[in-house]
Amino acid sequence: MTLTDNRTAGENPLMLCFDTSTAVLAASVCRGAEVLASRHSHAERNHAVRIVSDLKALLKEAGVGEVDAIAVGQGPGSYTGVRIGVSAAKTLAWAWDKPLVGLSSLETLAMAAGPYLRGEKQAAEADPFAARLTGQPVWIVPIMDARRGQVYGARFETADGSVWRRLDEDAIRLIGDWGSALAASAAEAGAQLAFVGEIGPHAAALAALEGAVALPLTIDAGEMGELAAERLAQGLVDDVHRFAPNYTQLTEAETKLGDGARTEGQA
């Protein structure tokens, strides 16, 4: 639940940002768009073991004892990972009495492509990302592997990686069908289609899409600060008690339970 809050913490709020929706525990301390410290730990989805120590070390590295607000990735992504991050953020926001800003993990993943589009970062020389973008409007499609040929995905449009517009909401989709539909729509609209994120498991399907480019990326917690500060400046924060992960699908256990209930009902 998003609500309006008067605690905007000024123009450059000090934000503790983190996301645990993937195998990478991404965290940062940001003052507006300025990144004071950041960490990206490959914890193999075992974030519960590291999140407290990593956040404490990060605050110490940034030289701050108190922040103005907490920003966290709300999902979608790993069920356990998202739950851990959301639980930690709610606990800190409640204990410190600070505003809580929930961010789409897919939107944060899309924002990680911004520095490449703006020429601030260079992709691998064998496949330079920005060089293959031709000045057209760019559709950035962040994806996370959801197994069985599925991805968690969304779609954003940008011209240069500075201003973004959401075109598709976060959802779980079959990459084959969705990718083909996006490629056809992009060609019709004169847009460049660029997939970013967990490319590896779906490399073959993406390579088959005419005109599409792909860039493996992980979530950049540094990008979370500016995004969260914008939300906070608008007074858009989340109710700590009602804030919940965005899973976009039933867990495997819930699916099996539902199947079992339907089977019993049909028997």
Side-chain angles (χ1 to χ4, degrees), residues 78-100:
S78 159
Y79 176 85
T80 301
V82 173
R83 177 173 53 79
I84 290 168
V86 167
S87 297
K90 291 176 66 172
T91 299
L92 292 175
W94 179 82
W96 295 346
D97 189 28
K98 300 298 180 183
L100 174 64

Side-chain angles (χ1 to χ4, degrees), residues 17-48:
C17 311
F18 53 96
D19 188 291
T20 57
S21 62
T22 68
V24 175
L25 195 168
S28 69
V29 176
C30 301
R31 188 180 296 281
E34 180 187 4
V35 181
L36 303 182
S38 66
R39 287 185 168 222
H40 296 83
S41 305
H42 291 263
E44 296 300 329
R45 304 188 189 274
N46 192 18
H47 301 310

Side-chain angles (χ1 to χ4, degrees), residues 123-216:
E125 292 183 7
D127 186 21
F129 182 64
R132 295 180 60 188
L133 301 177
T134 59
Q136 316 161 253
V138 182
W139 288 356
I140 296 291
V141 180
I143 59 172
M144 299 177 186
D145 182 37
R147 296 183 293 182
R148 303 185 183 92
Q150 301 176 113
V151 295
Y152 301 107
R155 179 172 50 132
F156 299 84
E157 183 178 74
T158 183
D160 59 3
S162 299
V163 179
W164 302 76
R165 181 168 69 99
R166 181 184 279 273
L167 298 181
D168 285 335
E169 294 302 315
D170 298 354
I172 186 167
R173 300 173 167 97
L174 286 168
I175 188 61
D177 295 342
W178 188 46
S180 296
L182 286 177
S185 296
E188 183 177 348
Q192 172 67 66
L193 181 61
F195 291 87
V196 301
E198 295 184 342
I199 302 301
H202 308 284
L206 298 180
L209 301 177
E210 185 174 355
V213 297
L215 177 65

Side-chain angles (χ1 to χ4, degrees), residues 215-241:
L215 177 65
L217 282 181
T218 57
I219 286 176
D220 186 343
E223 295 293 322
M224 295 180 70
E226 184 173 6
L227 189 60
E230 291 175 359
R231 305 274 171 88
L232 189 63
Q234 297 172 38
L236 299 176
V237 302
D238 290 275
D239 183 283
V240 172
H241 301 291

